[in-house]
């Protein structure tokens, strides 16, 4: 998309603009016009580096400065705003209802194949229809998101819509403009194209999906069943600002209409390559062309194996005839084109029966109904219980004990009741009755204003206390092996542990009073507890179970403090200045640290020697004292991974070249700024091979490259 020379120019221009921020602010109309254009150019470039290539060349802070400068100019002189300005990605107004628009060509669905035989049958039909055996097929992932159609006219993104009924969809242009992988302007005219409609999918990564659902559960909202529903729900939100806050991605995979017609790419491969060159996210590196159906089949199998490692949910592979000139001869049925077929992976849904419903008390007192199921295999895993989340979820789906339900377990996602099979009802199914008192401590349950969940508000409720201890010991928190649910319960019942602080004063002889524990296993547990003292402040903060503080938030918090004691005086303002921390999260943190009883626990942890300070980097290891900066693409692994390795071996990983840098490791397509700075400061540059040489005795370099190959899926 950008030549090396152009990249250099744009980086140079970025530097200049950053230096001239003061002047830009004061610019008169004529100067502002020039600056606005320049700012747009560089912002577009940095969006591309960040979102498409995932290798930014400036810091987030610098990016924000440029973005703000442009936004301020446009505010001062609104006539300068253009529809493709990067600022238009976050529209300020509420859209209201979505208008309905007609697609330039109907959005059909795909025919499905579930076996190799069905693929062979497809191959036979295609060859018969086109009258030759020389047919190439392209194969690409079938993304499980929400289908979209994008229209570009004279290089500008004019209109985006949902699939709708195939003929007409909802116009959601403003929402789609918030997705940074959809360019607001793309140089189709360089390909002689004036008007084009392209098809694609809005996606949510599995990681982001997990995060959104955790937040929804915390807020008492029903979580999304799968990333597909989350994407579909997100692009239809009425407020584009909210859309922008969900980290959505878009991948495009089909050109469906072109004017002038003769400029349409001749093959599907060329079409996707064009989109790739123009800066879209496409199936490009994962798309392969085969000249035999056997090649197609083995590629599909290969992907079925690795689907779980892919960052996005995919439910199959799409096989398309590569030569688009054959499309006409092949034609369409009323539902799908005959030039494409979807090879569907094994289903991750199954039906089973609800045997009973139990009510669990969470660590903040939330009561969650959990359905016990007749065990069933879903995508290779036995599922025997499923969360029903809250009363609203149960009511909305009208779930009853004895019902037959459809269960889905997408990827590593928790199982979910998709629907009740009402046709299977016999009449003896029983409604789910919510308790009025806490199943653990018996206190009256309450529903707080604005919340969906019933809650036990007795903070000494045994179930809550035990859940809090369990959470502290969990893998992502303090990772105390051997401290499972049963042990926590036994320790609590014996009065040995009343809060997480007590764990660090446990003696092996006390633990041995629990049935099933002998000297050795008791020692193992005390050792595991001892080992957990140095997990770091981020995991302590997460482990304390502060409402809304997940591991990501905990990591962000730790960057701003020296020790846990800093939370004594932290202000709302300081908290909300931290990325992703809004007033609700900030208030929850303030509230937690304003409670005397919480500080008592923290004191106990401190006296026991649990590390509550942010670790000063003074590590041991073969790279001790050496500061590494990486630039360009590494063949062995991502830069983040390389950084992890450096830190593990005692070195320091940094993103900027300074006089303290020991080595600049140069990968492919190195960044001009870092290279120049290294030259200016006389920093030693080394190749990736030299870096690998340094670490090869400590790290399995070959395995690293293998993993890298598997992970470069986009
Ligand atoms: S091609 C007329 N390619 O699957 C065919 N579709 O079940 C145009 N989908 O509506 C679509 N990944 O939303 C195509 N690589 C891919 C796809 C893909 C996902 C979706 C798309 C379509 C649905 C059909």
């Amino acid at each position: 998309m950008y030549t090396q020379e152009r990249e250099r120019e744009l980086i140079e221009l970025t530097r200049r603009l950053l230096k001239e921020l003061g002047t830009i602010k004061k610019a008169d109309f004529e100067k502002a016009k020039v600056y606005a254009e320049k700012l747009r150019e560089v912002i577009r470039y940095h969006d591309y580096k960040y979102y498409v290539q995932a290798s930014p060349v400036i810091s987030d802070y610098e990016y924000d400065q440029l973005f703000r400068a442009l936004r301020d100019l446009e505010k001062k002189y609104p006539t300068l705003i253009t529809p493709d300005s990067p600022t238009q990605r976050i529209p300020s107004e509420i859209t209201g209802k979505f208008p309905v628009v007609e697609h330039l060509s109907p959005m059909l669905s795909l025919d499905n194949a579930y076996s190799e035989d069905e693929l062979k049958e497809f191959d036979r039909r295609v060859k018969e229809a086109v009258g030759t055996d020389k047919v190439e097929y392209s194969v690409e992932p079938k993304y499980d998101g929400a289908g979209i159609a994008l229209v570009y006219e004279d290089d500008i993104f004019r209109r985006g819509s949902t699939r709708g009924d195939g003929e007409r969809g909802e116009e959601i242009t403003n929402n789609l403009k918030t997705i940074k992988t959809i360019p607001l302007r793309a140089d189709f005219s360089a390909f002689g194209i004036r008007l084009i409609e392209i098809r694609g999918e809005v996606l949510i990564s599995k990681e982001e999906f997990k995060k959104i659902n955790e937040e929804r559960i915390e807020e008492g909202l029903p979580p999304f069943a799968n990333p597909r529903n989350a994407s579909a729900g997100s692009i239809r939100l009425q407020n584009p600002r909210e859309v922008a806050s969900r980290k959505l991605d878009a991948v495009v995979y089909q050109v469906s209409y072109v004017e002038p017609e003769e400029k349409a790419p001749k093959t599907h491969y060329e079409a996707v390559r064009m989109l790739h060159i123009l800066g879209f996210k496409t199936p490009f590196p994962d798309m392969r062309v085969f000249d035999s159906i056997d090649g197609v089949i083995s590629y599909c199998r290969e992907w079925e194996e690795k689907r779980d490692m892919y960052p996005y949910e995919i439910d199959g592979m799409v096989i398309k005839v590569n030569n688009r000139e054959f499309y006409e001869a092949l034609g369409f049925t009323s539902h799908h084109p005959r030039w494409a077929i979807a090879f569907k992976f094994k289903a991750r849904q199954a039906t089973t029966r609800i045997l009973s419903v139990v009510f669990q008390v969470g660590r903040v007192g939330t009561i969650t109904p959990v359905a016990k199921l007749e065990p069933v295999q879903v995508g290779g895993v036995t599922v025997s219980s499923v969360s029903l989340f809250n009363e609203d979820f149960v009511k909305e789906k009208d779930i009853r004990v004895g019902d037959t339900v459809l269960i889905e377990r997408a990827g590593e996602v928790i199982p979910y009741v998709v629907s009740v099979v009402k046709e299977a009802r016999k009449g003896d199914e029983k409604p789910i009755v919510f308790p009025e008192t806490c199943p653990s401590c018996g206190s009256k349950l309450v529903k707080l204003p604005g919340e969906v969940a019933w809650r036990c508000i007795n903070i000494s409720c045994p179930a809550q206390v035990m859940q809090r201890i369990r959470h502290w010991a969990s893998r992502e928190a303090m990772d105390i092996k051997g401290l499972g649910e049963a042990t926590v319960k036994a320790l609590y019942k014996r009065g040995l542990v009343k809060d997480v602080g007590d764990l660090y004063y446990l003696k092996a002889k006390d633990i041995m009073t629990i049935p099933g524990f002998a000297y050795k296993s008791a020692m193992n547990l005390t050792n595991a507890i001892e080992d957990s003292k140095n997990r770091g402040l981020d995991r302590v903060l997460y482990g304390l179970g502060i409402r809304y503080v997940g591991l990501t938030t905990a990591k962000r918090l730790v960057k701003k403090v020296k020790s846990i004691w800093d939370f004594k005086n932290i202000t709302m303002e300081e908290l909300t200045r931290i990325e992703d921390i809004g007033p609700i999260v900030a208030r929850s943190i303030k509230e937690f640290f304003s409670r005397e009883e919480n500080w008592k626990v923290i004191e106990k942890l401190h006296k026991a020697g649990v590390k509550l300070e942010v670790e000063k980097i003074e590590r041991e290891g073969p790279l001790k004292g050496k500061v590494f900066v990486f630039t360009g693409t590494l063949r062995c692994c991502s830069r983040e991974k390389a950084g992890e390795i450096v830190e593990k071996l005692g070195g320091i990983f940094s993103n900027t070249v300074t006089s303290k840098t020991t080595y600049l490791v140069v990968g492919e397509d190195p960044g001009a700024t870092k290279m120049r700075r290294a030259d200016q400061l006389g920093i030693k540059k080394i190749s990736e091979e030299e870096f690998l040489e340094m670490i090869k005795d400590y790290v399995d370099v070959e395995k690293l490259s293998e993993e890298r190959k598997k992970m470069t899926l986009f």
Side-chain angles (χ1 to χ4, degrees):
M1 161 119 190
Y2 292 98
T3 61
Q4 251 182 357
E5 200 188 341
R6 181 79 186 124
E7 291 212 22
R8 259 198 302 275
E9 278 172 24
L10 286 165
I11 291 171
E12 201 51 61
L13 181 57
T14 305
R15 293 279 146 235
R16 244 190 41 224
L17 290 169
L18 282 171
K19 269 198 213 124
E20 289 172 25
L21 288 171
T23 327
I24 298 178
K25 225 184 192 147
K26 290 189 221 110
D28 60 27
F29 182 78
E30 278 316 306
K31 284 207 185 96
K33 204 167 153 188
V34 181
Y35 271 130
E37 210 29 62
K38 288 198 185 327
L39 284 164
R40 278 179 202 132
E41 259 176 61
V42 295
I43 292 171
R44 255 179 229 130
Y45 165 69
H46 294 300
D47 275 344
Y48 176 78
K49 292 303 274 185
Y50 187 96
Y51 290 104
V52 180
Q53 291 199 325
S55 64
V57 289
I58 54 170
S59 67
D60 290 357
Y61 176 70
E62 288 166 318
Y63 177 91
D64 280 346
Q65 300 258 301
L66 295 169
F67 194 91
R68 276 190 203 141
L70 176 60
R71 201 192 47 199
D72 292 348
L73 282 185
E74 290 179 344
K75 213 177 196 171
K76 197 159 140 199
Y77 305 112
T79 52
L80 289 182
I81 301 176
T82 59
D84 65 331
S85 175
T87 55
Q88 301 305 300
R89 283 193 196 273
I90 306 177
S92 49
E93 79 282 89
I94 311 286
T95 51
K97 265 205 193 136
F98 301 111
V100 171
V101 290
E102 201 161 318
H103 300 305
L104 299 187
S105 81
M107 273 177 96
L108 300 175
S109 60
L110 292 167
D111 195 8
N112 291 326
Y114 294 94
S115 66
E116 296 182 6
D117 283 348
E118 284 171 18
L119 283 180
K120 286 183 179 154
E121 181 51 30
F122 166 74
D123 178 45
R124 200 193 50 72
R125 280 198 310 264
V126 168
K127 285 175 176 163
E128 192 179 272
V130 298
T132 165
D133 267 0
K134 291 211 167 6
V135 179
E136 280 182 346
Y137 296 110
S138 73
V139 186
E140 66 202 35
K142 184 172 187 305
Y143 306 97
D144 202 5
I148 48 165
L150 310 174
V151 176
Y152 285 77
E153 193 181 9
D154 297 326
D155 296 342
I156 303 285
F157 172 44
R158 295 277 180 211
R159 198 182 85 184
S161 53
T162 62
R163 180 175 183 277
D165 64 3
E167 296 283 338
R168 267 162 251 99
E170 290 166 288
E171 204 245 59
I172 48 161
T173 317
N174 283 345
N175 283 353
L176 293 179
K177 276 186 176 175
T178 67
I179 302 175
K180 307 241 177 157
T181 33
I182 298 179
L184 300 182
R185 172 193 199 106
D187 201 5
F188 284 108
S189 53
F191 292 82
I193 294 172
R194 193 189 67 75
L195 177 68
I196 186 166
E197 183 184 54
I198 50 191
R199 297 280 153 80
E201 208 85 1
V202 169
L203 304 171
I204 248 173
S205 70
K206 290 176 190 164
E207 198 186 333
E208 182 64 18
F209 170 74
K210 219 171 121 192
K211 224 176 89 198
I212 293 181
N213 265 358
E214 276 166 11
E215 282 167 14
R216 288 179 71 90
I217 293 170
E218 280 271 5
E219 284 168 36
L221 294 168
F224 292 113
N226 46 43
R228 176 182 64 249
N229 289 7
S231 316
S234 301
I235 55 170
R236 280 189 190 76
L237 287 169
Q238 293 285 314
N239 183 352
R241 271 181 191 283
E242 224 176 296
V243 183
S245 76
R246 308 240 171 119
K247 295 202 172 74
L248 300 175
D249 241 320
V251 59
V252 292
Y253 45 64
Q254 189 73 25
V255 168
S256 53
Y257 184 87
V258 174
E259 263 183 40
E261 212 179 323
E262 67 272 16
K263 294 294 178 188
K266 298 286 176 279
T267 64
H268 177 62
Y269 185 86
E270 267 175 59
V272 173
R273 205 175 75 103
M274 170 178 77
L275 297 171
H276 175 73
I277 291 170
L278 292 178
F280 290 88
K281 211 163 197 173
T282 67
F284 197 58
D286 300 321
M287 186 174 83
R288 294 274 164 82
V289 176
F290 296 92
D291 56 11
S292 79
I293 199 71
D294 290 337
V296 169
I297 291 169
S298 65
Y299 194 56
C300 287
R301 291 283 176 228
E302 189 184 318
W303 270 84
E304 182 151 24
E305 288 286 305
K306 63 183 180 192
R307 74 187 278 203
D308 278 345
M309 288 181 350
Y310 200 66
Y312 298 90
E313 198 62 52
I314 50 177
D315 59 344
M317 299 300 279
V318 181
I319 296 101
K320 295 173 184 168
V321 170
N322 191 32
N323 189 342
R324 291 172 53 104
E325 284 166 349
F326 287 154
Y327 280 16
E328 209 176 329
L330 284 156
F332 302 86
T333 71
S334 57
H335 294 108
H336 49 255
R338 290 203 185 85
W339 41 261
I341 196 160
F343 175 75
K344 296 292 282 278
F345 295 151
K346 267 190 245 55
R348 279 170 165 177
Q349 289 193 338
T351 50
T352 185
R353 241 166 55 87
I354 296 184
L355 301 175
S356 63
V357 171
V358 296
F359 294 90
Q360 282 179 358
V361 189
R363 68 189 145 87
V364 286
T366 317
I367 309 293
T368 308
V370 176
K372 297 288 168 193
L373 305 171
E374 221 161 68
V376 63
Q377 286 278 321
V378 191
V381 173
T382 307
V383 176
S384 54
S385 69
V386 60
S387 173
L388 303 179
F389 308 115
N390 56 44
E391 199 174 11
D392 284 7
F393 186 85
V394 170
K395 278 199 183 135
E396 194 191 302
K397 300 211 181 247
D398 184 20
I399 304 171
R400 303 180 193 174
V401 176
D403 261 341
T404 302
V405 285
L406 179 66
I407 305 288
E408 170 166 331
R409 195 192 62 88
E412 312 96 274
V413 171
I414 56 164
Y416 187 94
V417 174
V418 180
S419 59
V420 174
V421 187
K422 302 242 165 83
E423 296 78 2
R425 278 194 179 152
K426 290 201 204 80
D428 58 355
E429 296 75 16
K430 303 235 157 29
I432 296 167
V433 185
F434 272 70
E436 286 176 9
T437 54
C438 172
S440 171
C441 70
S443 43
K444 200 160 168 45
L445 299 179
V446 296
K447 208 178 230 188
L448 300 176
E451 293 195 359
V452 224
W454 286 99
R455 204 176 278 284
C456 163
I457 50 168
N458 166 19
I459 56 163
S460 344
C461 164
Q464 285 185 50
V465 175
M466 287 189 274
Q467 288 287 351
R468 285 201 287 269
I469 299 170
R470 265 299 296 137
H471 174 71
W472 175 264
S474 66
R475 196 172 49 82
E476 286 186 312
M478 304 306 273
D479 194 15
I480 305 175
K481 297 227 164 51
L483 195 55
E485 201 169 323
T487 310
V488 169
K489 196 168 177 180
L491 289 168
Y492 180 82
K493 288 261 154 80
R494 280 170 177 69
L496 292 167
V497 175
K498 290 193 198 65
D499 57 53
V500 299
D502 294 339
L503 289 172
Y504 296 87
Y505 299 86
L506 273 177
K507 303 261 176 316
K509 70 171 177 17
D510 298 330
I511 300 173
M512 280 166 68
T513 62
I514 303 173
F517 272 93
Y519 177 71
K520 191 152 175 256
S521 45
M523 280 310 285
N524 285 346
L525 182 55
T526 51
N527 286 340
I529 293 171
E530 185 64 27
D531 284 350
S532 76
K533 287 181 178 172
N534 288 317
R535 297 274 182 255
L537 186 57
D538 48 351
R539 290 169 67 168
V540 168
L541 288 177
Y542 171 63
L544 286 171
I546 307 165
R547 235 183 137 194
Y548 305 117
V549 177
L551 201 51
T552 320
T553 308
K555 282 190 196 304
R556 294 215 167 104
L557 283 170
V558 163
K559 283 198 183 138
K560 305 287 168 196
V561 297
K562 289 194 200 67
S563 74
I564 203 159
W565 316 111
D566 287 355
F567 287 103
K568 275 220 152 109
N569 305 314
I570 204 157
T571 63
M572 279 292 282
E573 209 199 332
E574 282 168 310
L575 285 167
T576 45
R577 240 187 275 139
I578 303 174
E579 194 189 341
D580 265 3
I581 295 188
I584 296 179
V585 185
R587 206 167 302 128
S588 164
I589 297 168
K590 276 290 289 174
E591 217 258 335
F592 183 91
F593 288 109
S594 68
R595 283 173 186 256
E596 204 46 50
E597 70 264 25
N598 289 336
W599 283 108
K600 278 199 184 121
V601 176
I602 294 169
E603 283 291 349
K604 254 193 233 178
L605 292 170
H606 173 61
K607 289 217 174 83
V610 176
K611 198 162 193 113
L612 304 173
E613 288 78 36
V614 180
E615 200 188 336
K616 291 275 162 300
I617 307 165
E618 186 49 72
R619 276 182 286 258
E620 288 301 320
L623 303 183
K624 186 181 169 187
K626 301 209 162 66
V627 184
F628 286 77
V629 179
F630 294 83
T631 180
T633 314
L634 302 180
R635 258 165 287 128
C636 67
C637 56
S638 66
R639 280 191 281 190
E640 289 68 38
K641 180 81 194 170
E644 260 174 44
I645 294 171
V646 165
E647 295 199 334
K648 223 192 243 155
L649 298 179
I652 297 167
F653 167 67
S654 161
N655 257 325
T656 32
V657 178
T658 68
S659 57
K660 298 211 173 68
T661 308
T662 322
Y663 299 114
L664 176 65
V665 184
V666 183
E668 262 169 58
D669 281 336
T673 323
K674 282 182 185 166
M675 294 292 271
R676 201 165 336 104
R677 216 156 144 65
D679 286 337
Q680 282 164 358
L681 297 169
I683 305 299
K684 189 171 163 76
K685 285 189 241 161
I686 61 170
S687 65
E688 181 177 349
E689 286 67 33
E690 286 171 282
F691 170 65
L692 293 176
E693 190 61 29
M694 284 183 195
I695 63 167
K696 75 171 194 315
D697 292 340
Y698 314 97
V699 177
D700 188 343
V701 172
E702 242 159 59
K703 199 168 138 214
L704 212 58
S705 317
E706 276 303 303
E707 274 169 26
R708 170 74 159 174
K709 260 185 234 149
K710 283 189 208 150
M711 293 315 290
T712 43
L713 299 169
F714 249 123

